[in-house]
Amino acid sequence: MKQTIGSIVLIVALMSFQTAPKKQTPTTKPAAAPVNTMQIIMDRGKMVYMQQCLACHQANGGGVPSMNAPLAGAKAVVGKDKAKLITIVLKGMKGVDIEDEPYNNTMAPHPELTDQQISDVLTYVRNNWNNKASAVTVAEVKAVRVKTK
Ligand code: HEC
């Protein structure tokens, strides 16, 4: 009996030894999970696009012939003049021929969208379909809004 108790104690002792917590390595702050900022902006921009632009410019950005201008491949969309692009969203657009094509629908102004929403949706249209251009920042939208007020 004594021997049995002895071996149980020994076994328990051995087990606790084995499962004893390893010496902690000094904790360094875990690295922040890599966040793909561009993907987040594109996701937000897509939401704005679906609610505010898709009805006219279509899911494929192709617009509607003679009605709504295409955004896919459009110079005004991927061009360097971001202020002009921001102005189009803030002020709307009407009766302008684009690449010699008239579009008969009216693009309503969207001043109710926040600087963030406009920055997101324009970054989205500049980088969706086959478009590829730099992001439009919130600061850029803000600057144009102040100037065109
Ligand atoms: C009611 C329909 C309608 C909605 C909604 C609309 N647009 Fe437009 N958009 C148009 C029309 C029509 C034109 C062309 C106007 C013209 O030719 O004068 C246009 C033109 C544009 C242009 C200029 C294209 C070029 O090649 O010059 C851009 C950029 C644009 N829209 C972006 C947007 C964005 C971004 C949204 C959403 C925030 C949006 N539009 C919402 C109808 C719309």
Side-chain angles (χ1 to χ4, degrees):
M1 185 62 176
K2 249 190 186 162
Q3 215 183 353
T4 316
I5 292 170
S7 18
I8 289 171
V9 169
L10 183 65
I11 289 166
V12 170
L14 279 172
M15 279 168 61
S16 61
F17 176 74
Q18 279 176 346
T19 59
K22 288 206 179 81
K23 204 176 159 225
Q24 292 269 307
T25 44
T27 48
T28 47
K29 242 185 167 186
V35 179
N36 187 338
T37 315
M38 187 60 178
Q39 191 55 55
I40 292 170
I41 295 170
M42 290 292 282
D43 288 348
R44 282 198 312 242
K46 186 176 183 177
M47 295 283 287
V48 179
Y49 185 82
M50 283 164 62
Q51 286 163 7
Q52 307 287 340
C53 325
L54 181 140
C56 293
H57 293 287
Q58 305 296 298
N60 67 0
V64 178
S66 312
M67 288 285 293
N68 303 312
L71 302 185
K75 277 187 201 143
V77 173
V78 296
K80 285 211 172 87
D81 196 347
K82 293 195 223 176
K84 189 175 168 194
L85 184 58
I86 295 163
T87 306
I88 291 172
V89 175
L90 284 170
K91 300 284 177 186
M93 195 170 165
K94 188 183 177 182
V96 179
D97 285 4
I98 300 163
E99 309 258 331
D100 296 331
E101 289 290 328
Y103 293 96
N104 297 321
N105 206 353
T106 298
M107 174 162 160
H110 292 73
E112 74 287 357
L113 297 179
T114 64
D115 294 346
Q116 180 78 66
Q117 286 175 311
I118 293 175
S119 125
D120 289 342
V121 76
L122 289 182
T123 300
Y124 173 76
V125 298
R126 278 164 70 83
N127 290 281
N128 197 38
W129 310 300
N130 282 325
N131 292 353
K132 188 128 196 64
S134 63
V136 171
T137 68
V138 172
E140 284 168 329
V141 177
K142 189 179 247 167
V144 173
R145 198 194 288 271
V146 168
K147 231 193 245 170
T148 57
K149 236 180 192 154

